[in-house]
Amino acid sequence: MSNTAIPLYQPLGGNDMPRFGGIATMMRLPHVPSSAGLDACFVGVPFDLGTSNRSGARFGPRQIRTESVLLRPYNMATRAAPFDALQIADIGDVAINPYNLMDSIHLIETAYNNIVAEGCKPITLGGDHTIALPILRALHRKYGKIGLIHVDAHADVNDTMFGEKIAHGTPFRRAVEEGLLDCDRVVQIGLRGTGYTAEDFDWCRDQGFKVVQVEECWGKSMTPLMAEIRTRLAGGPVYISFDIDGIDPAYAPGTGTPEIAGLTVPQALEIIRGAWGLDIVGADIVEVAPPYDAHGTTALLAANLAFEMLCVLPGVPRR
């Protein structure tokens, strides 16, 4: 936690600058060039070279920031007050290589090594889900094996996609192979849809993951599930990786691989809020593809989920 003698950054208020004015940083926070001196940061990764269907997630960070102008500093449901205790800013985007996937992965990993080196906790605006792999590599280098709350329509544990080992459908297979994850402290929520084989999700279970297919969530509060998950994931660092397609496309149409019958927005909030008390070392919201949602609703949802992730970081007080 930051030295309280240093003034903490605050989102720009709607009475200081109209919400339709000013520079679109995340929550209208100050933009700073690095994570130095920060407890947490928002960072964009405008990358979609790993997508398998509709591209466009490279525009996600910019649109999420644009929609985030409606957010205010206090969470009225949980009374979380992140800006009262933590030094938080928007550090901009990782400069990826739009012509080279593997070079981009290297650039992302290097950037996150620097972000987390002194303990700053990144809230990432994606970008497709490929980016979870280099982020987890950096977090593992800092914290050791990572527990994971993974919300998604897809398990993202393919061995290859068109023969490639790194794509948005492979990051968690690679993370297991590289020893990045504490597999007994991994949960996947919202998995659904059709598969290439009937056993597609069984690989996850075989690694020790807890798999909660979406049918187990229909018509239910996620609060009891999250109480169980908190017990399972306690005792070590935890990362939250939230693919926006985990939510039903009725609420989040702006994504590359939509699947019907997904989680509701209240369920998404219950999942994130239910992570309160865990040692969260970072989080992401990925696969927001603005070209497929002209109204910006998907990005507005993503901005709110990113704020909710900020609100469950360690050290955030509740008023």
Side-chain angles (χ1 to χ4, degrees), residues 143-174:
Y143 297 104
K145 285 184 179 287
I146 305 293
L148 177 69
I149 298 173
H150 173 207
V151 183
D152 205 324
H154 312 98
D156 291 354
V157 293
N158 294 323
D159 185 23
T160 62
M161 300 184 76
F162 276 86
E164 298 298 326
K165 287 285 192 178
I166 295 183
H168 76 160
T170 69
F172 302 112
R173 170 85 64 135
R174 300 287 88 79

PDB file of all heavy atoms in Angstrom, residues 143-174:
ATOM      1  N   TYR A 143       5.522 -14.438  -8.389  1.00  0.00           N
ATOM      2  CA  TYR A 143       4.801 -14.994  -7.245  1.00  0.00           C
ATOM      3  C   TYR A 143       4.880 -16.515  -7.115  1.00  0.00           C
ATOM      4  O   TYR A 143       4.416 -17.070  -6.121  1.00  0.00           O
ATOM      5  CB  TYR A 143       3.318 -14.613  -7.326  1.00  0.00           C
ATOM      6  CG  TYR A 143       3.067 -13.133  -7.258  1.00  0.00           C
ATOM      7  CD1 TYR A 143       2.732 -12.408  -8.410  1.00  0.00           C
ATOM      8  CD2 TYR A 143       3.154 -12.439  -6.053  1.00  0.00           C
ATOM      9  CE1 TYR A 143       2.484 -11.038  -8.349  1.00  0.00           C
ATOM     10  CE2 TYR A 143       2.917 -11.074  -5.990  1.00  0.00           C
ATOM     11  CZ  TYR A 143       2.583 -10.378  -7.144  1.00  0.00           C
ATOM     12  OH  TYR A 143       2.341  -9.031  -7.085  1.00  0.00           O
ATOM     13  N   GLY A 144       5.404 -17.214  -8.120  1.00  0.00           N
ATOM     14  CA  GLY A 144       5.336 -18.666  -8.104  1.00  0.00           C
ATOM     15  C   GLY A 144       4.030 -19.149  -8.720  1.00  0.00           C
ATOM     16  O   GLY A 144       3.367 -18.415  -9.458  1.00  0.00           O
ATOM     17  N   LYS A 145       3.641 -20.375  -8.432  1.00  0.00           N
ATOM     18  CA  LYS A 145       2.455 -20.965  -9.057  1.00  0.00           C
ATOM     19  C   LYS A 145       1.205 -20.164  -8.701  1.00  0.00           C
ATOM     20  O   LYS A 145       0.995 -19.777  -7.550  1.00  0.00           O
ATOM     21  CB  LYS A 145       2.290 -22.424  -8.638  1.00  0.00           C
ATOM     22  CG  LYS A 145       3.284 -23.371  -9.317  1.00  0.00           C
ATOM     23  CD  LYS A 145       3.010 -24.810  -8.935  1.00  0.00           C
ATOM     24  CE  LYS A 145       3.975 -25.764  -9.634  1.00  0.00           C
ATOM     25  NZ  LYS A 145       3.673 -25.902 -11.073  1.00  0.00           N
ATOM     26  N   ILE A 146       0.353 -19.961  -9.717  1.00  0.00           N
ATOM     27  CA  ILE A 146      -0.787 -19.059  -9.613  1.00  0.00           C
ATOM     28  C   ILE A 146      -2.088 -19.857  -9.595  1.00  0.00           C
ATOM     29  O   ILE A 146      -2.286 -20.782 -10.398  1.00  0.00           O
ATOM     30  CB  ILE A 146      -0.810 -18.090 -10.821  1.00  0.00           C
ATOM     31  CG1 ILE A 146       0.528 -17.338 -10.955  1.00  0.00           C
ATOM     32  CG2 ILE A 146      -1.982 -17.128 -10.720  1.00  0.00           C
ATOM     33  CD1 ILE A 146       0.824 -16.382  -9.835  1.00  0.00           C
ATOM     34  N   GLY A 147      -2.996 -19.508  -8.687  1.00  0.00           N
ATOM     35  CA  GLY A 147      -4.368 -19.981  -8.754  1.00  0.00           C
ATOM     36  C   GLY A 147      -5.134 -19.132  -9.754  1.00  0.00           C
ATOM     37  O   GLY A 147      -4.739 -18.001 -10.066  1.00  0.00           O
ATOM     38  N   LEU A 148      -6.240 -19.652 -10.271  1.00  0.00           N
ATOM     39  CA  LEU A 148      -6.912 -18.985 -11.384  1.00  0.00           C
ATOM     40  C   LEU A 148      -8.421 -19.096 -11.268  1.00  0.00           C
ATOM     41  O   LEU A 148      -8.956 -20.186 -11.057  1.00  0.00           O
ATOM     42  CB  LEU A 148      -6.454 -19.616 -12.704  1.00  0.00           C
ATOM     43  CG  LEU A 148      -7.087 -19.100 -14.000  1.00  0.00           C
ATOM     44  CD1 LEU A 148      -6.638 -17.670 -14.298  1.00  0.00           C
ATOM     45  CD2 LEU A 148      -6.742 -20.036 -15.165  1.00  0.00           C
ATOM     46  N   ILE A 149      -9.101 -17.964 -11.410  1.00  0.00           N
ATOM     47  CA  ILE A 149     -10.541 -17.925 -11.660  1.00  0.00           C
ATOM     48  C   ILE A 149     -10.703 -17.550 -13.122  1.00  0.00           C
ATOM     49  O   ILE A 149     -10.387 -16.429 -13.524  1.00  0.00           O
ATOM     50  CB  ILE A 149     -11.258 -16.908 -10.753  1.00  0.00           C
ATOM     51  CG1 ILE A 149     -11.098 -17.285  -9.275  1.00  0.00           C
ATOM     52  CG2 ILE A 149     -12.743 -16.824 -11.118  1.00  0.00           C
ATOM     53  CD1 ILE A 149     -11.627 -16.230  -8.310  1.00  0.00           C
ATOM     54  N   HIS A 150     -11.163 -18.489 -13.919  1.00  0.00           N
ATOM     55  CA  HIS A 150     -11.271 -18.303 -15.370  1.00  0.00           C
ATOM     56  C   HIS A 150     -12.743 -18.364 -15.756  1.00  0.00           C
ATOM     57  O   HIS A 150     -13.379 -19.415 -15.644  1.00  0.00           O
ATOM     58  CB  HIS A 150     -10.466 -19.405 -16.075  1.00  0.00           C
ATOM     59  CG  HIS A 150     -10.633 -19.438 -17.557  1.00  0.00           C
ATOM     60  ND1 HIS A 150     -10.481 -20.601 -18.308  1.00  0.00           N
ATOM     61  CD2 HIS A 150     -10.946 -18.460 -18.457  1.00  0.00           C
ATOM     62  CE1 HIS A 150     -10.685 -20.329 -19.583  1.00  0.00           C
ATOM     63  NE2 HIS A 150     -10.971 -19.042 -19.691  1.00  0.00           N
ATOM     64  N   VAL A 151     -13.285 -17.235 -16.197  1.00  0.00           N
ATOM     65  CA  VAL A 151     -14.675 -17.160 -16.643  1.00  0.00           C
ATOM     66  C   VAL A 151     -14.675 -17.084 -18.162  1.00  0.00           C
ATOM     67  O   VAL A 151     -14.022 -16.215 -18.750  1.00  0.00           O
ATOM     68  CB  VAL A 151     -15.384 -15.931 -16.040  1.00  0.00           C
ATOM     69  CG1 VAL A 151     -16.854 -15.909 -16.464  1.00  0.00           C
ATOM     70  CG2 VAL A 151     -15.271 -15.936 -14.521  1.00  0.00           C
ATOM     71  N   ASP A 152     -15.418 -17.993 -18.814  1.00  0.00           N
ATOM     72  CA  ASP A 152     -15.293 -18.105 -20.262  1.00  0.00           C
ATOM     73  C   ASP A 152     -16.369 -19.050 -20.781  1.00  0.00           C
ATOM     74  O   ASP A 152     -16.849 -19.933 -20.063  1.00  0.00           O
ATOM     75  CB  ASP A 152     -13.906 -18.690 -20.599  1.00  0.00           C
ATOM     76  CG  ASP A 152     -13.379 -18.322 -21.979  1.00  0.00           C
ATOM     77  OD1 ASP A 152     -14.192 -18.233 -22.911  1.00  0.00           O
ATOM     78  OD2 ASP A 152     -12.155 -18.146 -22.103  1.00  0.00           O
ATOM     79  N   ALA A 153     -16.728 -18.884 -22.047  1.00  0.00           N
ATOM     80  CA  ALA A 153     -17.537 -19.889 -22.721  1.00  0.00           C
ATOM     81  C   ALA A 153     -16.689 -21.080 -23.142  1.00  0.00           C
ATOM     82  O   ALA A 153     -17.210 -22.180 -23.345  1.00  0.00           O
ATOM     83  CB  ALA A 153     -18.217 -19.289 -23.948  1.00  0.00           C
ATOM     84  N   HIS A 154     -15.380 -20.859 -23.277  1.00  0.00           N
ATOM     85  CA  HIS A 154     -14.475 -21.868 -23.825  1.00  0.00           C
ATOM     86  C   HIS A 154     -13.370 -22.175 -22.821  1.00  0.00           C
ATOM     87  O   HIS A 154     -12.940 -21.297 -22.062  1.00  0.00           O
ATOM     88  CB  HIS A 154     -13.859 -21.356 -25.135  1.00  0.00           C
ATOM     89  CG  HIS A 154     -14.867 -20.784 -26.074  1.00  0.00           C
ATOM     90  ND1 HIS A 154     -15.105 -19.423 -26.162  1.00  0.00           N
ATOM     91  CD2 HIS A 154     -15.719 -21.394 -26.933  1.00  0.00           C
ATOM     92  CE1 HIS A 154     -16.068 -19.212 -27.059  1.00  0.00           C
ATOM     93  NE2 HIS A 154     -16.459 -20.378 -27.536  1.00  0.00           N
ATOM     94  N   ALA A 155     -12.884 -23.407 -22.848  1.00  0.00           N
ATOM     95  CA  ALA A 155     -11.850 -23.805 -21.889  1.00  0.00           C
ATOM     96  C   ALA A 155     -10.474 -23.263 -22.253  1.00  0.00           C
ATOM     97  O   ALA A 155      -9.599 -23.139 -21.396  1.00  0.00           O
ATOM     98  CB  ALA A 155     -11.785 -25.330 -21.792  1.00  0.00           C
ATOM     99  N   ASP A 156     -10.256 -22.951 -23.534  1.00  0.00           N
ATOM    100  CA  ASP A 156      -8.972 -22.410 -24.004  1.00  0.00           C
ATOM    101  C   ASP A 156      -7.799 -23.314 -23.647  1.00  0.00           C
ATOM    102  O   ASP A 156      -6.735 -22.853 -23.232  1.00  0.00           O
ATOM    103  CB  ASP A 156      -8.746 -20.996 -23.459  1.00  0.00           C
ATOM    104  CG  ASP A 156      -9.701 -19.978 -24.069  1.00  0.00           C
ATOM    105  OD1 ASP A 156     -10.454 -20.341 -24.981  1.00  0.00           O
ATOM    106  OD2 ASP A 156      -9.695 -18.811 -23.612  1.00  0.00           O
ATOM    107  N   VAL A 157      -8.017 -24.621 -23.849  1.00  0.00           N
ATOM    108  CA  VAL A 157      -6.964 -25.597 -23.566  1.00  0.00           C
ATOM    109  C   VAL A 157      -6.674 -26.470 -24.791  1.00  0.00           C
ATOM    110  O   VAL A 157      -6.204 -27.603 -24.667  1.00  0.00           O
ATOM    111  CB  VAL A 157      -7.323 -26.491 -22.351  1.00  0.00           C
ATOM    112  CG1 VAL A 157      -7.352 -25.666 -21.071  1.00  0.00           C
ATOM    113  CG2 VAL A 157      -8.634 -27.240 -22.579  1.00  0.00           C
ATOM    114  N   ASN A 158      -6.948 -25.944 -25.996  1.00  0.00           N
ATOM    115  CA  ASN A 158      -6.565 -26.673 -27.200  1.00  0.00           C
ATOM    116  C   ASN A 158      -5.053 -26.900 -27.209  1.00  0.00           C
ATOM    117  O   ASN A 158      -4.286 -26.051 -26.739  1.00  0.00           O
ATOM    118  CB  ASN A 158      -6.941 -25.878 -28.452  1.00  0.00           C
ATOM    119  CG  ASN A 158      -8.437 -25.742 -28.617  1.00  0.00           C
ATOM    120  OD1 ASN A 158      -9.186 -26.666 -28.314  1.00  0.00           O
ATOM    121  ND2 ASN A 158      -8.872 -24.590 -29.086  1.00  0.00           N
ATOM    122  N   ASP A 159      -4.641 -28.019 -27.787  1.00  0.00           N
ATOM    123  CA  ASP A 159      -3.209 -28.248 -27.938  1.00  0.00           C
ATOM    124  C   ASP A 159      -2.650 -27.350 -29.033  1.00  0.00           C
ATOM    125  O   ASP A 159      -1.616 -26.691 -28.854  1.00  0.00           O
ATOM    126  CB  ASP A 159      -2.940 -29.722 -28.247  1.00  0.00           C
ATOM    127  CG  ASP A 159      -1.455 -30.034 -28.292  1.00  0.00           C
ATOM    128  OD1 ASP A 159      -0.668 -29.280 -27.674  1.00  0.00           O
ATOM    129  OD2 ASP A 159      -1.075 -31.006 -28.946  1.00  0.00           O
ATOM    130  N   THR A 160      -3.342 -27.328 -30.185  1.00  0.00           N
ATOM    131  CA  THR A 160      -2.937 -26.443 -31.274  1.00  0.00           C
ATOM    132  C   THR A 160      -4.174 -25.882 -31.952  1.00  0.00           C
ATOM    133  O   THR A 160      -5.280 -26.416 -31.816  1.00  0.00           O
ATOM    134  CB  THR A 160      -2.096 -27.180 -32.340  1.00  0.00           C
ATOM    135  OG1 THR A 160      -2.887 -28.223 -32.914  1.00  0.00           O
ATOM    136  CG2 THR A 160      -0.837 -27.764 -31.744  1.00  0.00           C
ATOM    137  N   MET A 161      -3.981 -24.799 -32.701  1.00  0.00           N
ATOM    138  CA  MET A 161      -5.008 -24.252 -33.581  1.00  0.00           C
ATOM    139  C   MET A 161      -4.345 -24.004 -34.930  1.00  0.00           C
ATOM    140  O   MET A 161      -3.382 -23.240 -35.008  1.00  0.00           O
ATOM    141  CB  MET A 161      -5.606 -22.958 -33.002  1.00  0.00           C
ATOM    142  CG  MET A 161      -6.254 -23.158 -31.633  1.00  0.00           C
ATOM    143  SD  MET A 161      -7.049 -21.666 -30.987  1.00  0.00           S
ATOM    144  CE  MET A 161      -8.544 -21.649 -31.975  1.00  0.00           C
ATOM    145  N   PHE A 162      -4.797 -24.710 -35.944  1.00  0.00           N
ATOM    146  CA  PHE A 162      -4.151 -24.683 -37.250  1.00  0.00           C
ATOM    147  C   PHE A 162      -2.658 -24.990 -37.138  1.00  0.00           C
ATOM    148  O   PHE A 162      -1.829 -24.418 -37.835  1.00  0.00           O
ATOM    149  CB  PHE A 162      -4.384 -23.343 -37.950  1.00  0.00           C
ATOM    150  CG  PHE A 162      -5.681 -23.271 -38.693  1.00  0.00           C
ATOM    151  CD1 PHE A 162      -6.848 -22.888 -38.043  1.00  0.00           C
ATOM    152  CD2 PHE A 162      -5.767 -23.620 -40.040  1.00  0.00           C
ATOM    153  CE1 PHE A 162      -8.047 -22.842 -38.708  1.00  0.00           C
ATOM    154  CE2 PHE A 162      -6.964 -23.580 -40.709  1.00  0.00           C
ATOM    155  CZ  PHE A 162      -8.120 -23.199 -40.055  1.00  0.00           C
ATOM    156  N   GLY A 163      -2.335 -25.873 -36.204  1.00  0.00           N
ATOM    157  CA  GLY A 163      -0.955 -26.279 -36.009  1.00  0.00           C
ATOM    158  C   GLY A 163      -0.138 -25.357 -35.126  1.00  0.00           C
ATOM    159  O   GLY A 163       1.022 -25.658 -34.835  1.00  0.00           O
ATOM    160  N   GLU A 164      -0.741 -24.243 -34.679  1.00  0.00           N
ATOM    161  CA  GLU A 164      -0.006 -23.273 -33.865  1.00  0.00           C
ATOM    162  C   GLU A 164      -0.218 -23.545 -32.384  1.00  0.00           C
ATOM    163  O   GLU A 164      -1.335 -23.799 -31.933  1.00  0.00           O
ATOM    164  CB  GLU A 164      -0.461 -21.852 -34.202  1.00  0.00           C
ATOM    165  CG  GLU A 164      -0.202 -21.434 -35.639  1.00  0.00           C
ATOM    166  CD  GLU A 164       1.269 -21.422 -36.000  1.00  0.00           C
ATOM    167  OE1 GLU A 164       2.097 -21.104 -35.115  1.00  0.00           O
ATOM    168  OE2 GLU A 164       1.607 -21.738 -37.153  1.00  0.00           O
ATOM    169  N   LYS A 165       0.855 -23.444 -31.622  1.00  0.00           N
ATOM    170  CA  LYS A 165       0.798 -23.722 -30.194  1.00  0.00           C
ATOM    171  C   LYS A 165       0.285 -22.535 -29.375  1.00  0.00           C
ATOM    172  O   LYS A 165      -0.150 -22.723 -28.235  1.00  0.00           O
ATOM    173  CB  LYS A 165       2.194 -24.116 -29.688  1.00  0.00           C
ATOM    174  CG  LYS A 165       2.652 -25.501 -30.115  1.00  0.00           C
ATOM    175  CD  LYS A 165       1.940 -26.584 -29.303  1.00  0.00           C
ATOM    176  CE  LYS A 165       2.582 -27.939 -29.509  1.00  0.00           C
ATOM    177  NZ  LYS A 165       1.928 -28.994 -28.677  1.00  0.00           N
ATOM    178  N   ILE A 166       0.389 -21.328 -29.930  1.00  0.00           N
ATOM    179  CA  ILE A 166      -0.028 -20.142 -29.183  1.00  0.00           C
ATOM    180  C   ILE A 166      -1.095 -19.404 -29.973  1.00  0.00           C
ATOM    181  O   ILE A 166      -0.849 -18.916 -31.082  1.00  0.00           O
ATOM    182  CB  ILE A 166       1.176 -19.229 -28.867  1.00  0.00           C
ATOM    183  CG1 ILE A 166       2.135 -19.961 -27.928  1.00  0.00           C
ATOM    184  CG2 ILE A 166       0.706 -17.921 -28.239  1.00  0.00           C
ATOM    185  CD1 ILE A 166       3.321 -19.150 -27.485  1.00  0.00           C
ATOM    186  N   ALA A 167      -2.295 -19.356 -29.402  1.00  0.00           N
ATOM    187  CA  ALA A 167      -3.447 -18.668 -29.982  1.00  0.00           C
ATOM    188  C   ALA A 167      -4.440 -18.453 -28.846  1.00  0.00           C
ATOM    189  O   ALA A 167      -4.190 -18.856 -27.699  1.00  0.00           O
ATOM    190  CB  ALA A 167      -4.067 -19.496 -31.108  1.00  0.00           C
ATOM    191  N   HIS A 168      -5.585 -17.839 -29.167  1.00  0.00           N
ATOM    192  CA  HIS A 168      -6.485 -17.518 -28.054  1.00  0.00           C
ATOM    193  C   HIS A 168      -7.227 -18.730 -27.510  1.00  0.00           C
ATOM    194  O   HIS A 168      -7.859 -18.629 -26.452  1.00  0.00           O
ATOM    195  CB  HIS A 168      -7.448 -16.387 -28.428  1.00  0.00           C
ATOM    196  CG  HIS A 168      -8.580 -16.777 -29.327  1.00  0.00           C
ATOM    197  ND1 HIS A 168      -9.726 -16.015 -29.418  1.00  0.00           N
ATOM    198  CD2 HIS A 168      -8.768 -17.812 -30.187  1.00  0.00           C
ATOM    199  CE1 HIS A 168     -10.563 -16.573 -30.291  1.00  0.00           C
ATOM    200  NE2 HIS A 168      -9.992 -17.658 -30.768  1.00  0.00           N
ATOM    201  N   GLY A 169      -7.123 -19.872 -28.166  1.00  0.00           N
ATOM    202  CA  GLY A 169      -7.728 -21.084 -27.651  1.00  0.00           C
ATOM    203  C   GLY A 169      -6.755 -22.022 -26.955  1.00  0.00           C
ATOM    204  O   GLY A 169      -7.136 -23.134 -26.593  1.00  0.00           O
ATOM    205  N   THR A 170      -5.509 -21.583 -26.733  1.00  0.00           N
ATOM    206  CA  THR A 170      -4.491 -22.472 -26.165  1.00  0.00           C
ATOM    207  C   THR A 170      -3.831 -21.997 -24.868  1.00  0.00           C
ATOM    208  O   THR A 170      -3.015 -22.737 -24.313  1.00  0.00           O
ATOM    209  CB  THR A 170      -3.350 -22.709 -27.180  1.00  0.00           C
ATOM    210  OG1 THR A 170      -2.595 -21.494 -27.352  1.00  0.00           O
ATOM    211  CG2 THR A 170      -3.880 -23.178 -28.526  1.00  0.00           C
ATOM    212  N   PRO A 171      -4.100 -20.789 -24.336  1.00  0.00           N
ATOM    213  CA  PRO A 171      -3.209 -20.256 -23.293  1.00  0.00           C
ATOM    214  C   PRO A 171      -3.143 -21.089 -22.027  1.00  0.00           C
ATOM    215  O   PRO A 171      -2.080 -21.186 -21.399  1.00  0.00           O
ATOM    216  CB  PRO A 171      -3.771 -18.861 -23.003  1.00  0.00           C
ATOM    217  CG  PRO A 171      -5.189 -18.905 -23.453  1.00  0.00           C
ATOM    218  CD  PRO A 171      -5.170 -19.802 -24.647  1.00  0.00           C
ATOM    219  N   PHE A 172      -4.250 -21.715 -21.634  1.00  0.00           N
ATOM    220  CA  PHE A 172      -4.228 -22.422 -20.357  1.00  0.00           C
ATOM    221  C   PHE A 172      -3.640 -23.824 -20.487  1.00  0.00           C
ATOM    222  O   PHE A 172      -3.121 -24.365 -19.504  1.00  0.00           O
ATOM    223  CB  PHE A 172      -5.617 -22.389 -19.715  1.00  0.00           C
ATOM    224  CG  PHE A 172      -6.086 -20.974 -19.507  1.00  0.00           C
ATOM    225  CD1 PHE A 172      -7.140 -20.449 -20.230  1.00  0.00           C
ATOM    226  CD2 PHE A 172      -5.413 -20.143 -18.627  1.00  0.00           C
ATOM    227  CE1 PHE A 172      -7.533 -19.128 -20.065  1.00  0.00           C
ATOM    228  CE2 PHE A 172      -5.791 -18.820 -18.444  1.00  0.00           C
ATOM    229  CZ  PHE A 172      -6.856 -18.306 -19.168  1.00  0.00           C
ATOM    230  N   ARG A 173      -3.647 -24.409 -21.691  1.00  0.00           N
ATOM    231  CA  ARG A 173      -2.884 -25.652 -21.931  1.00  0.00           C
ATOM    232  C   ARG A 173      -1.389 -25.348 -21.796  1.00  0.00           C
ATOM    233  O   ARG A 173      -0.655 -26.065 -21.118  1.00  0.00           O
ATOM    234  CB  ARG A 173      -3.192 -26.202 -23.320  1.00  0.00           C
ATOM    235  CG  ARG A 173      -2.302 -27.327 -23.789  1.00  0.00           C
ATOM    236  CD  ARG A 173      -2.724 -28.709 -23.327  1.00  0.00           C
ATOM    237  NE  ARG A 173      -3.996 -29.122 -23.834  1.00  0.00           N
ATOM    238  CZ  ARG A 173      -4.269 -30.315 -24.345  1.00  0.00           C
ATOM    239  NH1 ARG A 173      -3.303 -31.212 -24.473  1.00  0.00           N
ATOM    240  NH2 ARG A 173      -5.486 -30.637 -24.720  1.00  0.00           N
ATOM    241  N   ARG A 174      -0.942 -24.262 -22.424  1.00  0.00           N
ATOM    242  CA  ARG A 174       0.472 -23.894 -22.331  1.00  0.00           C
ATOM    243  C   ARG A 174       0.841 -23.541 -20.885  1.00  0.00           C
ATOM    244  O   ARG A 174       1.941 -23.886 -20.417  1.00  0.00           O
ATOM    245  CB  ARG A 174       0.770 -22.691 -23.237  1.00  0.00           C
ATOM    246  CG  ARG A 174       0.499 -22.871 -24.710  1.00  0.00           C
ATOM    247  CD  ARG A 174       1.523 -23.770 -25.397  1.00  0.00           C
ATOM    248  NE  ARG A 174       1.155 -25.170 -25.318  1.00  0.00           N
ATOM    249  CZ  ARG A 174       0.243 -25.766 -26.114  1.00  0.00           C
ATOM    250  NH1 ARG A 174      -0.371 -25.074 -27.060  1.00  0.00           N
ATOM    251  NH2 ARG A 174      -0.017 -27.042 -25.962  1.00  0.00           N
TER     252      ARG A 174
END
